[in-house]
Amino acid sequence: MNDASEVFQPLRAQDPPVVAGYCLAARLGAGGMGRVYLSHTQGGRPVAIKVVRPELADDPAFRRRFGREIKAARRVRGAYTAELIDADADGVPPWLATVYVPGPSLTEAVARRGPLPVPAVLWLMAGVAEALQAIHAAGIVHRDLKPSNVLLAADGPRVIDFGISLTSGATSAYTATGASVGTPQFMAPEQASAGEVTPATDVFALGQTAAFAVLGEPLYGDGPSVSVLYRIVHSEPDLSLLPAQLRPLFARCLAADPAERATPAEIIEWCRRHLGRETDPGAGLALWRDVAGPEVTVPAPVPHPTPVHTLPLVAPPQQWPPLPAGPDGRRARRRRNALIVGIMTVSALLVLGLTWAVLDATGLRFRDTSSQAGSGASGRSSGSESGTTSGSGSGSSSGSGAGERSATGTDSGTGEKSDGASDSSRPSSKSSSTASTPPRPIAYPQEWFDEKNSVSLREPVDRKDRKGDIRFVCGQGQCALKSDKSLITLLYSKPGATLDSCRLALKGAESRDLPLAAVAAGSEICVKNPSGDIALLVVQVKSTALPDDGFSFLTADMTVWRAR
């Protein structure tokens, strides 16, 4: 993966723009636990954000284990690990952030350049063994060490996903004696048979990972998981496939009895001894950089939205010096008071002039109703504001704009009686308040979504047909929220979304289809229809376990902010 376009994939419509305050810059990939994205800290340091899959997030036991693993992983500090820097096991969905490692995985490097030379394999084993030392010192057993969890940076390997793999049921392999967590081709015998997992289990996986680097394929072969696990448990590895100088070390790492396996410290010493002069400064790094390949340019941080702050029109009052007593002081006070009055008058005129200019520029300038009192059609055609009917109920179209008086003494469109007098302040104050007052949130608790109804952002909200803004659709093993015209996006931030958070999330949204696989109880969904109305859905219950049974549904508390 030499090309940045292969490493950093653009975000898709279903990807969140922000996760817990981290603005996402690109996709990095996906694994058994969830999707991985590139982001940056506030200081600009690249980080990898992993967002947990919804089916795992729905499991309370997962969240408890995930929280424990996060606490343990925070203690890991090692030169050959990708440090965990932030996480939230209680997020919706859960997520974690680690230092971003610029380099391909061992799987990608072997696929691109073929098997590694012996010196590079020794460097690999020494670096990964040192990473295991740091991980085991924190009380963690990795349990899923494999080529895709070893990244090749320019200065050596980095081990990722330590400890977290315990919680990921997607990589579980089930045997006749129980369930084991890990990837079948790289499991230890005791792990494959659901036995006790210890630090020695990671050493066996290190041997298999290094063998993959040498051979370009798993040591125990491919095929159905059951067949691979049987070979691991019941047969000896074929070390004749490996270079002769490496066989003694691999025999220690791949011993069937965990007690007979080499320790990470012994592996490091063995590799250093057999590397010899290639451990001199510069020699090994040059070799390693050739294996890792050229670095790609990391995309720049996505700027955070920043509020616009306005400066005060008038500076704060200054502290005046004390005045002398007596006649001189009285004269000075009169002069100072006159000066203050003058300053205040000039400031008021400046503010008034600026306000008038703004209103004039935005089309909100106060209209002179005295010139219009004689005829609503004066200066404009009667059809220019058609569609506004008078409150008399006659059904005839009025020449007046909405909010102006009709000839019957009723406010057009409002039904309120007027006294027939010209009132220039009413339309201007209405326009001004409309421009400055934010939309009022309207709550609709426990909205029901199924395949027979729909929900509209305008009244009536509950519809017994399928013509509303949001429809619930199931088919082909999955359910989704769909709309013909409205944009729909899932928020990945902490709970408590607002109108502003929805506006930000919807700014780059393009999808009108939201698959519910990524949605759990507590998930927040933002919707915007073409009229500008915005809705926030907070999911309460999701029942989509059997999407094709005709009984799936979703309930959500809905808040609507309607455009004026």
Side-chain angles (χ1 to χ4, degrees):
M1 298 181 82
N2 292 332
D3 193 340
S5 63
E6 297 178 16
V7 180
F8 308 108
Q9 304 166 18
L11 296 180
R12 302 175 188 173
Q14 65 268 33
D15 292 327
V18 180
V19 173
Y22 289 93
C23 290
L24 304 186
R27 266 192 179 209
L28 292 175
M33 199 175 68
R35 291 194 182 115
V36 186
Y37 302 95
L38 174 72
S39 185
H40 299 78
T41 65
Q42 292 186 357
R45 186 182 190 185
V47 293
I49 307 288
K50 177 169 285 189
V51 180
V52 172
R53 292 188 290 114
E55 55 267 37
L56 293 175
D58 282 343
D59 182 1
F62 164 84
R63 286 181 179 269
R64 289 193 296 270
R65 292 195 303 269
F66 188 57
R68 289 196 298 268
E69 295 293 342
I70 285 173
K71 290 179 181 178
R74 288 185 190 277
R75 301 195 300 266
V76 176
R77 297 290 186 273
Y80 295 105
T81 62
E83 180 183 343
L84 179 69
I85 60 174
D86 201 358
D88 185 2
D90 297 321
V92 182
W95 59 275
L96 60 87
T98 62
V99 171
Y100 171 71
V101 178
S105 69
L106 178 59
T107 303
E108 295 163 347
V110 170
R112 185 182 70 232
R113 307 173 73 88
L116 273 57
V118 170
V121 174
L122 291 173
W123 273 96
L124 173 74
M125 295 186 75
V128 174
E130 188 171 331
L132 290 179
Q133 280 186 316
I135 294 168
H136 296 163
I140 299 174
V141 178
H142 193 297
R143 299 177 178 89
D144 198 21
L145 183 63
K146 56 186 176 183
S148 61
N149 278 339
V150 177
L151 304 182
L152 309 185
D155 58 349
R158 297 289 190 279
V159 174
I160 62 173
D161 280 0
F162 40 84
I164 304 303
S165 58
L166 172 65
T167 63
S168 177
T171 56
S172 295
Y174 294 91
T175 67
T177 57
S180 300
V181 176
T183 303
Q185 288 85 350
F186 300 95
M187 281 186 177
E190 67 273 15
Q191 190 177 14
S193 58
E196 182 183 5
V197 175
T198 67
T201 303
D202 288 343
V203 172
F204 194 98
L206 169 55
Q208 292 173 301
T209 298
F212 174 86
V214 174
L215 302 174
E217 59 184 11
L219 182 60
Y220 286 89
D222 286 311
S225 297
V226 173
S227 301
V228 174
L229 294 173
Y230 184 88
R231 292 194 292 269
I232 291 174
V233 173
H234 298 286
S235 64
E236 295 289 332
D238 185 3
L239 300 182
S240 65
L241 302 173
L242 303 172
Q245 63 267 47
L246 297 179
R247 291 174 193 169
L249 177 59
F250 277 85
R252 291 286 312 280
C253 292
L254 299 171
D257 185 353
E260 296 180 3
R261 293 174 197 155
T263 66
E266 291 172 335
I267 295 172
I268 295 170
E269 177 58 29
W270 199 96
C271 291
R272 290 186 181 278
R273 188 168 63 250
H274 285 77
L275 278 168
R277 294 185 60 85
E278 293 186 40
T279 59
D280 294 344
L285 288 180
L287 169 68
W288 188 255
R289 290 193 185 100
D290 183 60
V291 171
E295 292 189 41
V296 296
T297 302
V298 179
V302 175
H304 284 261
T306 54
V308 177
H309 297 283
T310 57
L311 295 175
L313 294 174
V314 181
Q318 299 180 356
Q319 295 296 322
W320 296 91
L323 297 174
D328 292 340
R330 286 193 294 272
R331 285 193 294 273
R333 274 192 293 273
R334 285 195 294 271
R335 286 195 299 271
R336 188 178 69 181
N337 291 341
L339 178 60
I340 292 173
V341 170
I343 291 174
M344 293 177 64
T345 302
V346 172
S347 299
L349 290 173
L350 287 173
V351 172
L352 181 61
L354 180 59
T355 303
W356 185 269
V358 170
L359 290 173
D360 187 49
T362 57
L364 297 176
R365 183 171 175 176
F366 301 108
R367 287 176 287 195
D368 184 3
T369 56
S370 62
S371 64
Q372 300 171 2
S375 171
S378 176
R380 60 181 184 273
S381 69
S382 62
S384 64
E385 296 184 27
S386 60
T388 304
T389 59
S390 72
S392 63
S394 64
S396 63
S397 188
S398 167
S400 308
E404 295 186 78
R405 310 287 185 186
S406 71
T408 61
T410 306
D411 278 352
S412 301
T414 66
E416 294 179 356
K417 292 290 182 180
S418 79
D419 55 6
S422 174
D423 184 358
S424 63
S425 65
R426 178 168 296 185
S428 62
S429 63
K430 182 174 180 179
S431 299
S432 178
S433 63
T434 299
S436 60
T437 305
R440 179 172 60 91
I442 305 173
Y444 299 92
Q446 291 296 313
E447 286 300 317
W448 179 278
F449 296 81
D450 61 27
E451 292 190 272
K452 296 180 180 179
N453 77 329
S454 62
V455 173
S456 174
L457 271 58
R458 289 276 173 172
E459 297 285 359
V461 169
D462 300 304
R463 301 185 63 104
K464 301 302 181 183
D465 55 32
R466 304 287 284 169
K467 297 181 179 180
D469 291 297
I470 314 169
R471 301 190 307 276
F472 180 88
V473 179
C474 289
Q476 300 181 343
Q478 63 178 354
C479 296
L481 292 181
K482 292 180 178 289
S483 179
D484 292 331
K485 298 180 180 179
S486 298
L487 299 174
I488 308 176
T489 189
L490 177 65
L491 298 182
Y492 284 80
S493 54
K494 293 183 179 180
T498 63
L499 173 59
D500 288 339
S501 0
C502 277
R503 282 173 171 165
L504 174 63
L506 290 162
K507 187 175 181 181
E510 299 177 353
S511 178
R512 296 175 175 84
D513 181 348
L514 176 66
L516 293 178
V519 172
S523 292
E524 296 178 325
I525 301 166
C526 293
V527 183
K528 181 180 181 180
N529 67 17
S531 69
D533 296 345
I534 292 178
L536 169 66
L537 304 177
V538 181
V539 176
Q540 302 301 313
V541 178
K542 184 187 81 168
S543 177
T544 59
L546 299 173
D548 299 315
D549 64 358
F551 295 100
S552 297
F553 67 91
L554 180 140
T555 66
D557 291 340
M558 182 170 77
T559 302
V560 178
W561 294 271
R562 293 201 174 98
R564 299 183 184 275

